[in-house]
PDB file of all heavy atoms in Angstrom:
ATOM      1  N   GLU A 151       7.575 144.865  12.854  1.00 97.00           N
ATOM      2  CA  GLU A 151       6.336 145.800  13.134  1.00 97.00           C
ATOM      3  C   GLU A 151       6.270 145.820  14.734  1.00 97.00           C
ATOM      4  O   GLU A 151       6.037 146.969  15.273  1.00 97.00           O
ATOM      5  CB  GLU A 151       5.114 145.166  12.603  1.00 97.00           C
ATOM      6  CG  GLU A 151       5.094 145.317  11.076  1.00 97.00           C
ATOM      7  CD  GLU A 151       3.946 144.550  10.470  1.00 97.00           C
ATOM      8  OE1 GLU A 151       3.406 143.547  11.185  1.00 97.00           O
ATOM      9  OE2 GLU A 151       3.569 144.699   9.258  1.00 97.00           O
ATOM     10  N   THR A 152       6.595 144.774  15.352  1.00 98.00           N
ATOM     11  CA  THR A 152       6.459 144.732  16.801  1.00 98.00           C
ATOM     12  C   THR A 152       7.527 145.658  17.457  1.00 98.00           C
ATOM     13  O   THR A 152       7.240 146.465  18.339  1.00 98.00           O
ATOM     14  CB  THR A 152       6.619 143.298  17.368  1.00 98.00           C
ATOM     15  OG1 THR A 152       5.505 142.495  16.824  1.00 98.00           O
ATOM     16  CG2 THR A 152       6.635 143.298  18.956  1.00 98.00           C
ATOM     17  N   LEU A 153       8.789 145.551  16.909  1.00 98.00           N
ATOM     18  CA  LEU A 153       9.813 146.396  17.455  1.00 98.00           C
ATOM     19  C   LEU A 153       9.595 147.858  17.222  1.00 98.00           C
ATOM     20  O   LEU A 153       9.842 148.717  18.085  1.00 98.00           O
ATOM     21  CB  LEU A 153      11.221 146.009  16.819  1.00 98.00           C
ATOM     22  CG  LEU A 153      11.801 144.659  17.201  1.00 98.00           C
ATOM     23  CD1 LEU A 153      13.012 144.242  16.344  1.00 98.00           C
ATOM     24  CD2 LEU A 153      12.217 144.722  18.696  1.00 98.00           C
ATOM     25  N   PHE A 154       9.005 148.138  16.058  1.00 98.00           N
ATOM     26  CA  PHE A 154       8.680 149.490  15.691  1.00 98.00           C
ATOM     27  C   PHE A 154       7.642 150.036  16.640  1.00 98.00           C
ATOM     28  O   PHE A 154       7.727 151.103  17.277  1.00 98.00           O
ATOM     29  CB  PHE A 154       8.226 149.597  14.285  1.00 98.00           C
ATOM     30  CG  PHE A 154       7.841 151.046  13.874  1.00 98.00           C
ATOM     31  CD1 PHE A 154       8.708 151.953  13.561  1.00 98.00           C
ATOM     32  CD2 PHE A 154       6.476 151.305  13.658  1.00 98.00           C
ATOM     33  CE1 PHE A 154       8.268 153.283  13.126  1.00 98.00           C
ATOM     34  CE2 PHE A 154       5.959 152.557  13.256  1.00 98.00           C
ATOM     35  CZ  PHE A 154       6.960 153.502  13.010  1.00 98.00           C
ATOM     36  N   ARG A 155       6.482 149.408  16.753  1.00 98.00           N
ATOM     37  CA  ARG A 155       5.358 149.737  17.548  1.00 98.00           C
ATOM     38  C   ARG A 155       5.836 149.909  18.951  1.00 98.00           C
ATOM     39  O   ARG A 155       5.479 150.945  19.662  1.00 98.00           O
ATOM     40  CB  ARG A 155       4.194 148.819  17.578  1.00 98.00           C
ATOM     41  CG  ARG A 155       3.051 149.103  18.422  1.00 98.00           C
ATOM     42  CD  ARG A 155       2.239 147.984  18.812  1.00 98.00           C
ATOM     43  NE  ARG A 155       3.062 146.982  19.609  1.00 98.00           N
ATOM     44  CZ  ARG A 155       2.630 145.754  19.813  1.00 98.00           C
ATOM     45  NH1 ARG A 155       1.493 145.297  19.350  1.00 98.00           N
ATOM     46  NH2 ARG A 155       3.478 144.970  20.533  1.00 98.00           N
ATOM     47  N   ASP A 156       6.594 148.986  19.580  1.00 98.00           N
ATOM     48  CA  ASP A 156       6.997 149.070  20.916  1.00 98.00           C
ATOM     49  C   ASP A 156       7.946 150.259  21.243  1.00 98.00           C
ATOM     50  O   ASP A 156       7.933 150.901  22.201  1.00 98.00           O
ATOM     51  CB  ASP A 156       7.762 147.723  21.287  1.00 98.00           C
ATOM     52  CG  ASP A 156       6.738 146.630  21.430  1.00 98.00           C
ATOM     53  OD1 ASP A 156       5.565 146.820  21.369  1.00 98.00           O
ATOM     54  OD2 ASP A 156       7.189 145.491  21.548  1.00 98.00           O
ATOM     55  N   SER A 157       8.851 150.455  20.243  1.00 98.00           N
ATOM     56  CA  SER A 157       9.731 151.627  20.328  1.00 98.00           C
ATOM     57  C   SER A 157       9.008 152.966  20.378  1.00 98.00           C
ATOM     58  O   SER A 157       9.259 153.932  21.089  1.00 98.00           O
ATOM     59  CB  SER A 157      10.765 151.609  19.198  1.00 98.00           C
ATOM     60  OG  SER A 157      10.228 151.965  17.952  1.00 98.00           O
ATOM     61  N   VAL A 158       7.937 153.128  19.512  1.00 98.00           N
ATOM     62  CA  VAL A 158       7.132 154.346  19.493  1.00 98.00           C
ATOM     63  C   VAL A 158       6.282 154.422  20.789  1.00 98.00           C
ATOM     64  O   VAL A 158       6.208 155.594  21.392  1.00 98.00           O
ATOM     65  CB  VAL A 158       6.210 154.397  18.299  1.00 98.00           C
ATOM     66  CG1 VAL A 158       5.286 155.597  18.299  1.00 98.00           C
ATOM     67  CG2 VAL A 158       7.009 154.301  17.012  1.00 98.00           C
ATOM     68  N   LEU A 159       5.726 153.411  21.202  1.00 98.00           N
ATOM     69  CA  LEU A 159       5.017 153.393  22.581  1.00 98.00           C
ATOM     70  C   LEU A 159       5.843 153.825  23.718  1.00 98.00           C
ATOM     71  O   LEU A 159       5.540 154.531  24.557  1.00 98.00           O
ATOM     72  CB  LEU A 159       4.287 152.101  22.699  1.00 98.00           C
ATOM     73  CG  LEU A 159       3.305 152.067  23.978  1.00 98.00           C
ATOM     74  CD1 LEU A 159       2.322 153.008  23.862  1.00 98.00           C
ATOM     75  CD2 LEU A 159       2.679 150.657  24.033  1.00 98.00           C
ATOM     76  N   GLU A 160       7.072 153.250  23.753  1.00 98.00           N
ATOM     77  CA  GLU A 160       7.959 153.607  24.839  1.00 98.00           C
ATOM     78  C   GLU A 160       8.425 154.978  24.769  1.00 98.00           C
ATOM     79  O   GLU A 160       8.561 155.697  25.816  1.00 98.00           O
ATOM     80  CB  GLU A 160       9.367 152.640  24.673  1.00 98.00           C
ATOM     81  CG  GLU A 160      10.151 152.686  25.903  1.00 98.00           C
ATOM     82  CD  GLU A 160      11.163 153.831  25.958  1.00 98.00           C
ATOM     83  OE1 GLU A 160      11.492 154.292  24.888  1.00 98.00           O
ATOM     84  OE2 GLU A 160      11.490 154.323  27.058  1.00 98.00           O
ATOM     85  N   PHE A 161       8.642 155.442  23.516  1.00 98.00           N
ATOM     86  CA  PHE A 161       8.996 156.902  23.395  1.00 98.00           C
ATOM     87  C   PHE A 161       7.815 157.763  23.934  1.00 98.00           C
ATOM     88  O   PHE A 161       7.986 158.840  24.532  1.00 98.00           O
ATOM     89  CB  PHE A 161       9.140 157.235  21.911  1.00 98.00           C
ATOM     90  CG  PHE A 161       9.194 158.736  21.486  1.00 98.00           C
ATOM     91  CD1 PHE A 161      10.405 159.327  21.613  1.00 98.00           C
ATOM     92  CD2 PHE A 161       8.111 159.443  21.197  1.00 98.00           C
ATOM     93  CE1 PHE A 161      10.521 160.776  21.277  1.00 98.00           C
ATOM     94  CE2 PHE A 161       8.183 160.847  20.926  1.00 98.00           C
ATOM     95  CZ  PHE A 161       9.453 161.408  20.934  1.00 98.00           C
ATOM     96  N   ALA A 162       6.556 157.370  23.588  1.00 98.00           N
ATOM     97  CA  ALA A 162       5.331 158.169  23.929  1.00 98.00           C
ATOM     98  C   ALA A 162       5.214 158.218  25.512  1.00 98.00           C
ATOM     99  O   ALA A 162       4.884 159.255  26.049  1.00 98.00           O
ATOM    100  CB  ALA A 162       4.112 157.570  23.322  1.00 98.00           C
ATOM    101  N   ARG A 163       5.474 157.105  26.165  1.00 98.00           N
ATOM    102  CA  ARG A 163       5.397 157.068  27.621  1.00 98.00           C
ATOM    103  C   ARG A 163       6.545 157.849  28.208  1.00 98.00           C
ATOM    104  O   ARG A 163       6.253 158.548  29.235  1.00 98.00           O
ATOM    105  CB  ARG A 163       5.445 155.617  28.044  1.00 98.00           C
ATOM    106  CG  ARG A 163       4.222 154.891  27.724  1.00 98.00           C
ATOM    107  CD  ARG A 163       4.512 153.337  27.913  1.00 98.00           C
ATOM    108  NE  ARG A 163       3.258 152.608  27.788  1.00 98.00           N
ATOM    109  CZ  ARG A 163       3.200 151.217  27.609  1.00 98.00           C
ATOM    110  NH1 ARG A 163       4.320 150.535  27.529  1.00 98.00           N
ATOM    111  NH2 ARG A 163       1.948 150.614  27.453  1.00 98.00           N
ATOM    112  N   ARG A 164       7.693 157.857  27.668  1.00 98.00           N
ATOM    113  CA  ARG A 164       8.849 158.506  28.229  1.00 98.00           C
ATOM    114  C   ARG A 164       8.833 160.070  27.882  1.00 98.00           C
ATOM    115  O   ARG A 164       9.040 160.916  28.765  1.00 98.00           O
ATOM    116  CB  ARG A 164      10.046 157.942  27.775  1.00 98.00           C
ATOM    117  CG  ARG A 164      11.475 158.461  28.360  1.00 98.00           C
ATOM    118  CD  ARG A 164      12.654 157.889  27.729  1.00 98.00           C
ATOM    119  NE  ARG A 164      12.860 158.412  26.392  1.00 98.00           N
ATOM    120  CZ  ARG A 164      12.760 157.599  25.317  1.00 98.00           C
ATOM    121  NH1 ARG A 164      12.517 156.286  25.427  1.00 98.00           N
ATOM    122  NH2 ARG A 164      12.986 158.185  24.109  1.00 98.00           N
ATOM    123  N   GLU A 165       8.607 160.389  26.688  1.00 98.00           N
ATOM    124  CA  GLU A 165       8.689 161.789  26.215  1.00 98.00           C
ATOM    125  C   GLU A 165       7.473 162.574  26.128  1.00 98.00           C
ATOM    126  O   GLU A 165       7.512 163.793  26.343  1.00 98.00           O
ATOM    127  CB  GLU A 165       9.408 161.753  24.785  1.00 98.00           C
ATOM    128  CG  GLU A 165      10.782 161.044  24.711  1.00 98.00           C
ATOM    129  CD  GLU A 165      11.895 161.927  25.283  1.00 98.00           C
ATOM    130  OE1 GLU A 165      11.687 163.094  25.557  1.00 98.00           O
ATOM    131  OE2 GLU A 165      12.960 161.315  25.619  1.00 98.00           O
ATOM    132  N   ILE A 166       6.342 161.984  25.901  1.00 98.00           N
ATOM    133  CA  ILE A 166       5.045 162.685  25.692  1.00 98.00           C
ATOM    134  C   ILE A 166       4.263 162.810  26.944  1.00 98.00           C
ATOM    135  O   ILE A 166       3.802 163.841  27.274  1.00 98.00           O
ATOM    136  CB  ILE A 166       4.218 162.056  24.485  1.00 98.00           C
ATOM    137  CG1 ILE A 166       4.974 162.020  23.280  1.00 98.00           C
ATOM    138  CG2 ILE A 166       2.916 162.786  24.359  1.00 98.00           C
ATOM    139  CD1 ILE A 166       4.270 161.363  22.113  1.00 98.00           C
ATOM    140  N   ARG A 167       4.152 161.676  27.661  1.00 98.00           N
ATOM    141  CA  ARG A 167       3.310 161.642  28.829  1.00 98.00           C
ATOM    142  C   ARG A 167       3.725 162.820  29.824  1.00 98.00           C
ATOM    143  O   ARG A 167       2.650 163.430  30.399  1.00 98.00           O
ATOM    144  CB  ARG A 167       3.359 160.340  29.571  1.00 98.00           C
ATOM    145  CG  ARG A 167       2.497 160.122  30.893  1.00 98.00           C
ATOM    146  CD  ARG A 167       2.534 158.771  31.368  1.00 98.00           C
ATOM    147  NE  ARG A 167       1.614 157.938  30.587  1.00 98.00           N
ATOM    148  CZ  ARG A 167       1.632 156.608  30.556  1.00 98.00           C
ATOM    149  NH1 ARG A 167       2.598 155.944  31.238  1.00 98.00           N
ATOM    150  NH2 ARG A 167       0.703 155.923  29.888  1.00 98.00           N
ATOM    151  N   PRO A 168       4.924 163.135  30.036  1.00 98.00           N
ATOM    152  CA  PRO A 168       5.092 164.228  31.068  1.00 98.00           C
ATOM    153  C   PRO A 168       4.661 165.592  30.624  1.00 98.00           C
ATOM    154  O   PRO A 168       4.480 166.444  31.487  1.00 98.00           O
ATOM    155  CB  PRO A 168       6.636 164.164  31.176  1.00 98.00           C
ATOM    156  CG  PRO A 168       7.088 162.865  30.774  1.00 98.00           C
ATOM    157  CD  PRO A 168       6.119 162.449  29.758  1.00 98.00           C
ATOM    158  N   VAL A 169       4.404 165.815  29.372  1.00 98.00           N
ATOM    159  CA  VAL A 169       3.961 167.124  28.851  1.00 98.00           C
ATOM    160  C   VAL A 169       2.606 167.194  28.332  1.00 98.00           C
ATOM    161  O   VAL A 169       2.087 168.179  27.808  1.00 98.00           O
ATOM    162  CB  VAL A 169       4.945 167.662  27.752  1.00 98.00           C
ATOM    163  CG1 VAL A 169       6.401 167.776  28.325  1.00 98.00           C
ATOM    164  CG2 VAL A 169       4.928 166.671  26.525  1.00 98.00           C
ATOM    165  N   VAL A 170       1.825 166.055  28.366  1.00 98.00           N
ATOM    166  CA  VAL A 170       0.454 166.044  27.908  1.00 98.00           C
ATOM    167  C   VAL A 170      -0.439 167.068  28.569  1.00 98.00           C
ATOM    168  O   VAL A 170      -1.119 167.849  27.874  1.00 98.00           O
ATOM    169  CB  VAL A 170      -0.177 164.598  28.084  1.00 98.00           C
ATOM    170  CG1 VAL A 170      -1.714 164.633  27.838  1.00 98.00           C
ATOM    171  CG2 VAL A 170       0.558 163.601  27.178  1.00 98.00           C
ATOM    172  N   ARG A 171      -0.457 167.162  29.802  1.00 98.00           N
ATOM    173  CA  ARG A 171      -1.311 168.096  30.567  1.00 98.00           C
ATOM    174  C   ARG A 171      -1.085 169.500  30.229  1.00 98.00           C
ATOM    175  O   ARG A 171      -1.838 170.371  29.880  1.00 98.00           O
ATOM    176  CB  ARG A 171      -1.201 167.892  32.095  1.00 98.00           C
ATOM    177  CG  ARG A 171      -1.975 168.874  33.012  1.00 98.00           C
ATOM    178  CD  ARG A 171      -3.490 168.742  32.860  1.00 98.00           C
ATOM    179  NE  ARG A 171      -4.064 169.787  33.683  1.00 98.00           N
ATOM    180  CZ  ARG A 171      -4.340 169.645  34.996  1.00 98.00           C
ATOM    181  NH1 ARG A 171      -3.989 168.511  35.693  1.00 98.00           N
ATOM    182  NH2 ARG A 171      -4.961 170.516  35.638  1.00 98.00           N
ATOM    183  N   GLU A 172       0.280 169.868  30.177  1.00 98.00           N
ATOM    184  CA  GLU A 172       0.700 171.235  29.908  1.00 98.00           C
ATOM    185  C   GLU A 172       0.346 171.595  28.459  1.00 98.00           C
ATOM    186  O   GLU A 172      -0.152 172.686  28.207  1.00 98.00           O
ATOM    187  CB  GLU A 172       2.279 171.354  30.089  1.00 98.00           C
ATOM    188  CG  GLU A 172       2.670 172.797  29.725  1.00 98.00           C
ATOM    189  CD  GLU A 172       4.181 172.928  29.836  1.00 98.00           C
ATOM    190  OE1 GLU A 172       4.935 171.931  30.073  1.00 98.00           O
ATOM    191  OE2 GLU A 172       4.716 174.060  29.677  1.00 98.00           O
ATOM    192  N   MET A 173       0.560 170.737  27.491  1.00 98.00           N
ATOM    193  CA  MET A 173       0.216 171.021  26.122  1.00 98.00           C
ATOM    194  C   MET A 173      -1.256 171.177  25.932  1.00 98.00           C
ATOM    195  O   MET A 173      -1.725 172.126  25.180  1.00 98.00           O
ATOM    196  CB  MET A 173       0.694 169.990  25.178  1.00 98.00           C
ATOM    197  CG  MET A 173       2.290 169.829  25.079  1.00 98.00           C
ATOM    198  SD  MET A 173       2.904 168.983  23.598  1.00 98.00           S
ATOM    199  CE  MET A 173       2.024 167.337  23.853  1.00 98.00           C
TER     200      MET A 173
END
Side-chain angles (χ1 to χ4, degrees):
E151 291 167 345
T152 300
L153 288 171
F154 177 77
R155 180 206 58 193
D156 290 351
S157 68
V158 176
L159 185 56
E160 192 278 330
F161 169 90
R163 288 168 175 163
R164 184 185 71 247
E165 301 285 343
I166 300 175
R167 179 172 282 159
V169 297
V170 169
R171 173 71 181 275
E172 179 185 3
M173 291 197 304

